[in-house]
Amino acid sequence: MDIYLPIAELPVNLFILLALGLAVGFLSGMFGVGGGFLITPLLIFMGIAPPIAVASGAAQLVATSFSGLIAHWRRENVDFKMGAVVLAGGAGGSWLGVWLFERLSAIGQIDLVILLCYIAFLSLVGLLMGVESLRAIRRRARGHGRRKAHSHTWIHGLPFKMRFPKSRLYISALPPLAIGFIMGLMASVMGVGGGLFVIPAMIYLLGMPTVLVVGTSLLQIAFVAAVAAFLHAGNNQTVDILLVLLLAVGSVIGSQYGVRVAMRLHAEYLRVLLAAVVLIVAGRLIYFLVGPLDEEFSFTFLGVF
Amino acid sequence: MALPRASTRWGAALLLAALGLGWAVPGGPAGAEPIVSGLSDEVIEIGARFSGSEVLLFGATEHEGDIVVVVRGPWAGVVVRRKQRIAGFWINSESVGFAGVPRYYAVASTRPLNEIAGPELLAEKQIGLENLAFQAFYVDSAEGTGPFRDAVLRSEQQERLYPAESGAIEFLGRRLFRVAIDLPPKLPIGRYDVNIHVIEAGAIVASQTQHFEVRKTGLSAQIEGFAHNQPWLYGLLAIASALMAGWLGSYFFRRV
């Protein structure tokens, strides 16, 4: 059954949208990432104009991540103070990102920059996460279960120290601010919530307890995505609310099942799986950049002339 | 083809009108007798369930000549970018901007176009895809605008917005004709022109233009109107409903 999207101005199959939402929501609930890195390219692939895909994808992330956030909130697995510091950095990053986006659009290279960012970022995260989690699995198989909560590195020698009682950390405010800054930059340029970056950064750079990381990351994603969707709707009128709600129905349900599957799997196996998904997406994008081209030309319609 | 009831009624009404007017209306300016024509719909409404449609053009003419119908509109500008392999990567390099590009273009004729009129007339009236003229408002290309224009034609054809070959004109009796204009699912919003030409011995002897408008209706129109008239409020509402959806999901699944 087809349904006409009022802002995207094209009919799409209702069941494809619901299935897409379910799949992305499932991954999101399972891994604690927003799934923006999957949904935005898939919407563009369905023929939805990139600005509308990015803006509506962001609004959809609000629904999925909020549903996950509530689940973690109820279990008290969210560090709101840490979240606030990271978000303060995020505001700066978003501002720079919006400016960069405009400059790059003007010279016609924005798609290349977005693609290169995606590839570099997904390959790096996928490889790091894959190697780390495979090591953890091997370590567990050999029976060396115990590990230090976190190791002291140069990060802990920085000034402006703050206490984060929930995470039991006493660290400089600079690394969380920097993480937020990069996350904001990614959200505005790439149209993703940044969960894929924030989660490893909070575990490995800040040394936060893993149990708090997913919930706190969902807090960031919900907030950043809400701000992005609001700005896109206000400035460009590119949020298609019908598209958002149809995707949200699937993704909210999917994320609940994802959370349940995640609870039955070991954290290391989850990370190996996520690394595999991320590397597959990165591989597809690399192929897109260097492989044979199906369409040499791209079009930007300028409205009625 | 089974016609919808409304269209059949229209057809009958037009047939009567055409026969009446065809005799009653005297010749217009020298050598150009009026064509009598009408569209089954002057407004195409796009609602939540729109997935393509069809408009019927009915007409009658006293002339013996060939009939050519051109449908085009709404006009837009387009920037076409071409990717080139640089150091192994596909990178946008050359680009051309066109103005006056119709988002929809279709031709129907009684015979193949090249048998009806000479290339000069077809080019002047922009009849046939190869005669569709775009004005380039900037060119950054070593090969000129040709490949870029072809790319636009190809892409619009893929969306069924430029039906590739001229459609058929169906005669109902000797003088009354009918053309079915196919409107695909990704139909752009705006005003469309329908030009009807009667061509005799390679020259146009009569012309007429009809219009129809494609617009959103019902919920689609309301959502779009809201998004454009109160964008910030719309943004807040979009976020609020996303939060609501997230909350509902976690509420209903809490005890599953």
Side-chain angles (χ1 to χ4, degrees), chain A residues 1-4 6-7 9-11 47 59 62-63 66-67 70 74 105 108-109 111-112 226 229-231 233-235 237 239-241 245 248 252-253 256-257 260 288-291 293 295-305, chain B residues 46-50 75-83 85 88-92 99 103 137 147-148 151-152 154-156 185 189 216 220 223-224 227-228 231-232 234-236 238-239 241-243 245-247 249-250 253-254 256:
Chain A
M1 195 181 96
D2 280 358
I3 187 146
Y4 186 84
I7 306 290
E9 297 187 341
L10 59 103
V62 177
F66 189 61
S67 142
I70 292 174
R74 208 178 283 133
S105 302
Q109 296 298 357
D111 10 348
L112 178 71
F230 182 63
L231 291 177
N235 290 323
Q237 290 95 52
V239 174
D240 194 312
I241 203 165
L245 289 181
V252 162
I253 295 171
Q256 299 293 329
Y257 285 102
R260 277 168 181 72
F288 181 73
L289 191 60
V290 302
L293 208 56
E295 179 58 73
E296 206 181 335
F297 295 92
S298 61
F299 309 91
T300 312
F301 284 95
L302 306 173
V304 178
F305 247 45
Chain B
I46 296 191
R49 304 289 306 276
F50 182 82
W75 279 261
V78 60
V79 173
V80 187
R81 296 196 172 88
R82 184 185 209 167
K83 287 192 174 69
R85 219 185 245 286
F89 297 125
W90 290 107
I91 289 172
N92 281 335
R103 296 302 317 276
F137 63 85
F148 293 82
V152 175
R154 224 172 29 241
S155 145
E156 295 287 276
I189 305 296
K216 291 176 211 172
S220 299
I223 290 176
E224 198 211 13
H228 281 92
W232 298 103
Y234 175 89
L236 277 184
I239 293 165
S241 44
L243 290 174
W247 178 78
S250 77
F253 281 85
R254 182 150 46 162
V256 172

Side-chain angles (χ1 to χ4, degrees), chain A residues 100-166:
Chain A
L100 260 181
F101 194 92
E102 282 170 1
R103 292 307 306 261
L104 292 167
S105 302
I107 58 172
Q109 296 298 357
I110 186 71
D111 10 348
L112 178 71
V113 172
I114 292 178
L115 199 56
L116 287 174
C117 286
Y118 263 103
I119 290 172
F121 166 70
L122 293 178
S123 313
L124 189 70
V125 168
L127 284 174
L128 286 178
M129 207 178 339
V131 167
E132 183 277 334
S133 48
L134 284 176
R135 264 199 208 133
I137 289 171
R138 214 177 306 140
R139 208 169 34 234
R140 230 161 53 93
R142 278 199 254 108
H144 304 275
R146 284 186 54 81
R147 206 172 75 133
K148 272 202 288 181
H150 62 269
S151 46
H152 276 255
T153 57
W154 58 271
I155 299 251
H156 299 86
L158 292 170
F160 308 113
K161 287 208 164 193
M162 273 177 90
R163 260 178 221 291
F164 296 97
K166 182 95 201 168

Side-chain angles (χ1 to χ4, degrees), chain B:
Chain B
M1 180 193 64
L3 281 175
R5 264 182 62 114
S7 302
T8 325
R9 245 195 338 263
W10 257 103
L14 268 161
L15 179 71
L16 289 174
L19 293 176
L21 287 172
W23 276 308
V25 176
E33 279 211 306
I35 303 165
V36 180
S37 67
L39 293 164
S40 61
D41 301 276
E42 276 167 6
V43 174
I44 306 295
E45 298 198 316
I46 296 191
R49 304 289 306 276
F50 182 82
S51 56
S53 180
E54 191 181 65
V55 173
L56 296 172
L57 170 77
F58 289 95
T61 172
E62 284 292 326
H63 289 279
E64 292 296 316
D66 287 292
I67 297 160
V68 176
V69 175
V70 184
V71 187
R72 67 191 124 185
W75 279 261
V78 60
V79 173
V80 187
R81 296 196 172 88
R82 184 185 209 167
K83 287 192 174 69
Q84 265 169 0
R85 219 185 245 286
I86 296 169
F89 297 125
W90 290 107
I91 289 172
N92 281 335
S93 51
E94 299 179 327
S95 62
V96 171
F98 291 113
V101 178
R103 296 302 317 276
Y104 179 90
Y105 181 90
V107 176
S109 56
T110 43
R111 281 192 295 154
L113 292 173
N114 57 5
E115 294 174 19
I116 296 177
E120 299 81 15
L121 180 71
L122 295 178
E124 189 207 323
K125 293 288 172 192
Q126 298 195 31
I127 300 171
L129 267 189
E130 64 281 4
N131 295 313
L132 191 54
F134 299 162
Q135 303 111 45
F137 63 85
Y138 85 84
V139 181
D140 169 22
S141 154
E143 283 176 70
T145 59
F148 293 82
R149 183 183 172 282
D150 292 346
V152 175
L153 297 190
R154 224 172 29 241
S155 145
E156 295 287 276
Q157 278 179 346
Q158 271 171 13
E159 304 290 354
R160 284 168 55 207
L161 290 168
Y162 286 5
E165 250 331 290
S166 38
I169 292 183
E170 199 183 334
F171 274 95
L172 313 159
R174 204 172 62 83
R175 295 180 311 132
L176 186 69
F177 62 87
R178 184 180 72 182
V179 183
I181 303 163
D182 174 49
L183 303 176
K186 289 193 186 174
L187 193 64
I189 305 296
R191 189 177 144 102
Y192 291 67
D193 291 350
V194 182
N195 299 312
I196 307 143
H197 302 295
V198 180
I199 300 178
E200 246 176 45
I204 291 181
V205 294
S207 290
Q208 195 178 55
T209 302
Q210 298 279 353
H211 306 283
F212 64 88
E213 175 144 356
V214 174
R215 64 176 181 225
K216 291 176 211 172
T217 183
L219 187 64
S220 299
Q222 280 168 10
I223 290 176
E224 198 211 13
F226 185 23
H228 281 92
N229 298 332
Q230 286 166 298
W232 298 103
L233 189 62
Y234 175 89
L236 277 184
L237 189 83
I239 293 165
S241 44
L243 290 174
M244 191 70 192
W247 178 78
L248 278 177
S250 77
Y251 179 80
F252 282 118
F253 281 85
R254 182 150 46 162
R255 306 200 188 284
V256 172

